[in-house]
Amino acid sequence: MIEVGALRALRSVAALGTLARAAEELGYTASAVSQQIKRLEGQVGVPVLAPAGRGVVLTPAGQAIVDSAPEVFQALERCAEAARSVAEGAPRGTLRVAAFSTAVRGLLAPTFSRLSTHCPDLRVHITELDPDEALHSVDAGTADLALVHDADGLPAPLPSSLTQRHVHTDAGDVVMSRAHPLARLDRPLTSIDLASHAWVTSPPGTVCHQWFRRLVADVPEEPDVRHLIDDFATQLALVASGDVIALIPRLARPPLTEDLVSRPLRRPPQRETYAAWRRSANASPAIQAVIAELGAATEPVTTQTD
C-alpha cells in the first residue's frame, strides 16, 4: 500500500520541481524526501521521477499517481473531520494558517484573545506567505487555512480542491503630519487635492504602488515621489517629518502617533481578502471557529477620519 507521507512528498516535488524545495516545504531534509520517493517507487514497482537539468520531472506513472492524490487526501481528511465532529464539534488541536503579513497583523492577531476564550483547546500556528504560496500550501496539505488578497482586482487562481469565503475589504487612506495643509480638510480627499504634494510610496511591483499610480493617474503633472520604502512604519516616520504624505492600507497601518492623521479618499483603492481551505475540510470545527472570529472582527469600509 502507498504511504501517505510518500504520496505527499511526490505531490510536493511535482509542484515545486526539486527535492530540495519540496523538503523545505514539508520540513524534511532532501535525503528524507528522496528516501520517501524511493519507497514509493518500490511500492508501485515503477519509476515516478526522472532527472531534468537541475530538477526532476514526473514520469507518466508518477503523473498518474499525482493526479489521483487529491482524492486520497480528501478521503483521509473527511475521516479526520468526521472524528472531530463526533467529539462534540469542539475546535481542538493545531490549525495551520498561511497568510500575507498585513492579514496577520490586522485580521488574525486581533482574534487571538477571543479564540483563546471561546476555543481554549485550539492552537493557531501562522506562517507568513504570499497569496499564491499560501494557496499552494493549503492545496498540498502543509497548511489548513489561507488568507489571501486579490492582486490589482484579480483574485489568485483557486485550485479546484479548495473553496473560499470573503472575509474583509481593505482600503487605503492618505496619512500626513497634523501640520500638513491636507490635514485641515475635513472631508474625503480627491486626486485634485493631492496634486503638488510630495510622497513616500511603496516600491514598484507592490500592490500599494499600483494603488498609488491609479490614485494619481488623473493628476496632470508627474507626482513628486521623494522616497520608495516597503516598510509602513518607516513610511510613517518619514511622514512625521512633515515633508511627505503616504497612501497606506488600513490593515497594514501601525497605530498613528499624535502628530499624524489619516484622511479617507473619495474613491479609495480597495482589495478583497478571502479565507481559503480544502473542500474536504468544510466540517472542520477549527476552521469554522476561526472564520467566525474573522467575520466578527472585520468592519465595512467607511470614510471616517482619525
Side-chain angles (χ1 to χ4, degrees), residues 135-159:
L135 290 175
H136 168 71
S137 291
V138 175
D139 187 35
T142 56
D144 304 304
L145 180 69
L147 290 183
V148 300
H149 63 76
D150 57 7
D152 202 19
L154 298 175
L158 191 71

Side-chain angles (χ1 to χ4, degrees), residues 13-36:
V13 171
L16 300 176
T18 68
L19 294 172
R21 292 183 64 191
E24 181 179 359
E25 178 181 67
L26 296 170
Y28 301 143
T29 64
S31 176
V33 172
S34 178
Q35 290 173 7
Q36 287 181 316

Side-chain angles (χ1 to χ4, degrees), residues 102 105-106 175 230-237 248-257 260-262 306:
T102 52
R105 177 192 300 169
V175 182
D230 198 27
D231 179 71
F232 292 112
T234 305
Q235 287 191 24
L236 292 183
I248 299 182
R250 294 176 188 176
L251 279 184
R253 193 176 75 201
L256 298 182
T257 57
L260 296 176
V261 296
S262 74
D306 292 328

Side-chain angles (χ1 to χ4, degrees), residues 35-276:
Q35 290 173 7
Q36 287 181 316
I37 299 299
K38 288 180 180 178
R39 284 199 299 272
L40 176 60
E41 290 179 331
Q43 290 161 356
V44 299
V46 293
V48 297
L49 291 178
R54 296 184 178 180
V56 290
V57 294
L58 295 173
T59 65
Q63 186 64 59
I65 292 173
V66 169
D67 289 344
S68 300
E71 298 176 14
V72 176
F73 293 133
Q74 290 168 18
L76 290 171
E77 191 156 37
R78 282 193 294 270
C79 289
E81 295 306 333
R84 296 188 186 105
S85 297
V86 169
E88 300 180 354
R92 62 183 73 245
T94 299
L95 184 74
R96 301 164 299 171
V97 181
F100 60 101
S101 61
T102 52
V104 175
R105 177 192 300 169
L107 294 179
L108 285 171
T111 69
F112 274 15
S113 61
R114 295 192 303 274
L115 276 171
S116 62
T117 299
H118 300 156
C119 310
D121 296 325
L122 177 64
R123 177 174 177 262
V124 178
H125 178 272
I126 300 173
T127 300
E128 181 184 333
L129 291 175
D130 289 334
D132 287 340
E133 296 173 312
L135 290 175
H136 168 71
S137 291
V138 175
D139 187 35
T142 56
D144 304 304
L145 180 69
L147 290 183
V148 300
H149 63 76
D150 57 7
D152 202 19
L154 298 175
L158 191 71
S160 60
S161 63
L162 306 188
T163 188
Q164 68 180 14
R165 181 182 302 172
H166 179 267
V167 294
H168 185 68
T169 298
D170 192 17
D173 297 316
V174 178
V175 182
M176 65 213 66
S177 165
R178 191 171 293 277
H180 195 278
L182 289 178
R184 295 194 293 267
L185 299 180
D186 190 19
R187 57 171 174 77
L189 303 179
T190 67
S191 59
I192 301 302
D193 296 324
L194 303 175
S196 76
H197 294 292
W199 291 85
V200 53
T201 77
S202 299
T206 62
V207 171
C208 293
H209 191 81
Q210 294 170 351
W211 280 9
F212 168 72
R213 295 308 308 185
R214 287 201 299 270
L215 181 64
V216 299
D218 296 334
V219 177
E221 64 271 15
E222 182 66 15
D224 180 9
V225 177
R226 303 278 179 88
H227 316 289
L228 294 171
I229 304 293
D230 198 27
D231 179 71
F232 292 112
T234 305
Q235 287 191 24
L236 292 183
L238 293 168
V239 170
S241 71
D243 294 332
V244 293
I245 58 178
L247 173 65
I248 299 182
R250 294 176 188 176
L251 279 184
R253 193 176 75 201
L256 298 182
T257 57
E258 291 187 359
D259 56 340
L260 296 176
V261 296
S262 74
R263 290 292 179 263
L265 292 156
R266 180 171 295 176
R267 298 177 61 185
Q270 297 182 4
R271 62 178 173 179
E272 308 301 333
T273 299
Y274 300 87

